[in-house]
Amino acid sequence: MDVSIEDLLPGQAESGTDLAPETLHEMYRYMLLARAIDERMWILNRAGKAPFVISCQGHEAAQVGSAFALMRGKDFTLPYYRGLATVLVMGMTATEVMLSLFARAADPNSGGRQMPAHYSSRRLKIITQSSPVGTQIAHAAGVGLAEKIKRGDAVVWTSFGEGTTSQGDFHEGINLAAVHQLPVIFQCENNEYAISVPQKMQMAVASVADRAVAYGIPGVSVDGTDVLTMYEVTRRAVERARRGDGPTLIEARVVRLTAHSSDDNDRTYRPQRELKNLRHQDPVIRFAQHLNDHDLISEAEDKELREAIAAEVDEATDVAEKAPMADPETLYDHVYAPSS
Ligand SMILES: Cc1ncc(C[n+]2csc(CCOP(=O)(O)OP(=O)(O)O)c2C)c(N)n1
Ligand SMILES: [Mg+2]
């Protein structure tokens, strides 16, 4: 289905035009920070210090653009495992991310119990996912229902990959949200692979957004490597949700710049040509170019920003690596009720 954002989510026509230069800088900073943390995590993994990495590299624009359209401290997010940039924008710090990677006691996600990349924070209204993909989609509909019953005006945002839309949870979550007009935004980050399975072997439709029509809700497919488009389309979906008009399905077309995870070797199933061309679609390079073309950042400012981020990631890594492990005595906490 070939429809524009304007057809499905009418609003201000030009993307991102209302954003101040300071906001654009902030967006860029979060994209760079997510990339720098992600790259550091791979180094730590290859050095034998971190058990597992699953990257957001290539998804940064989709995540930063959408998160900037949400209200931090008010709206709920239920990100999937690639949601590093999402949780950073929502308020998680680089140190907290590293505490989780090293499975330290102070890890805010689970006190060092969950795998890395299962983000959660009560303070930031980030709700954890389980390892079976898609569980968070049904949970998001549930949180949306609770918000509606409470007559609140918070929006619920959740993310998942295109392979996950083959799971029953996707159908059940969207259907419930659509029937009850719940304030939920479903963001599919379509990187065209589910581990090694390409999209055409996963679904018979060309676009995940096409599925929205079956639930009676708007579905839009956009360039997820463009942070401003992502901001704009999410802003419109947020407006719809907050005024009680129900859910939206957003398909962000992104690229997976790495292997599926640190346990995967994508050279065994991705054509050489595709691997070579990946960097031409890098959302971070793309936004850097945009800021440069519009005289929104100088070379010196860019360099200074990258240095500050490198220092922040160094500091976060040091603090987390030195932090204590969870006490073995606490092993059964939150598993069994304490005996009286
Ligand atoms: C129910 C379930 N089936 C299979 C898996 C193994 N698994 C983990 S990630 C993944 C691929 C998901 O692909 P997609 O939804 O496209 O997300 P992407 O990793 O590409 O961002 C699979 C099959 C799982 N975790 N849960
Ligand atoms: Mg995928």
Side-chain angles (χ1 to χ4, degrees), residues 59 80-82 131-133 161-164 167 191 193-195 260:
H59 292 229
Y80 83 128
Y81 46 77
R82 290 201 199 282
S131 290
V133 296
E162 83 293 341
T164 298
Q167 284 283 125
N191 57 21
Y193 283 97
I195 310 186
H260 171 73

Side-chain angles (χ1 to χ4, degrees), residues 16 43 66 82 88 93 95 98 100 114 117 226 230 256 289:
I43 292 169
S66 56
R82 290 201 199 282
L88 291 174
T93 65
T95 302
M98 287 296 176
S100 172
Q114 265 278 32
D226 180 357
M230 285 307 304
R256 200 186 78 196
Q289 194 65 51

Side-chain angles (χ1 to χ4, degrees), residues 100-219:
S100 172
L101 186 74
F102 285 111
R104 298 306 199 236
D107 155 33
N109 298 315
S110 70
R113 286 155 169 79
Q114 265 278 32
M115 282 176 82
H118 288 61
Y119 300 107
S120 78
S121 164
R122 189 182 289 267
R123 172 175 61 95
L124 304 172
K125 294 185 154 186
I126 298 171
I127 298 174
T128 193
Q129 69 164 147
S130 302
S131 290
V133 296
T135 50
Q136 75 281 9
I137 305 174
H139 295 163
V143 178
L145 184 59
E147 194 60 20
K148 186 169 180 177
I149 290 168
K150 287 191 295 186
R151 296 183 197 281
D153 66 345
V155 165
V156 184
W157 180 98
T158 188
S159 63
F160 45 87
E162 83 293 341
T164 298
T165 67
S166 303
Q167 284 283 125
D169 307 62
F170 172 79
H171 167 78
E172 292 166 37
I174 296 213
N175 190 55
L176 184 88
V179 167
H180 296 283
Q181 294 281 285
L182 304 178
V184 188
I185 295 165
F186 298 94
Q187 175 158 311
C188 175
E189 296 178 18
N190 185 349
N191 57 21
E192 296 181 4
Y193 283 97
I195 310 186
S196 55
V197 179
Q199 182 184 328
K200 61 178 182 310
M201 290 176 72
Q202 185 78 40
M203 62 185 78
V205 288
S207 155
V208 170
D210 288 353
R211 294 185 158 167
V213 74
Y215 303 102
I217 66 168

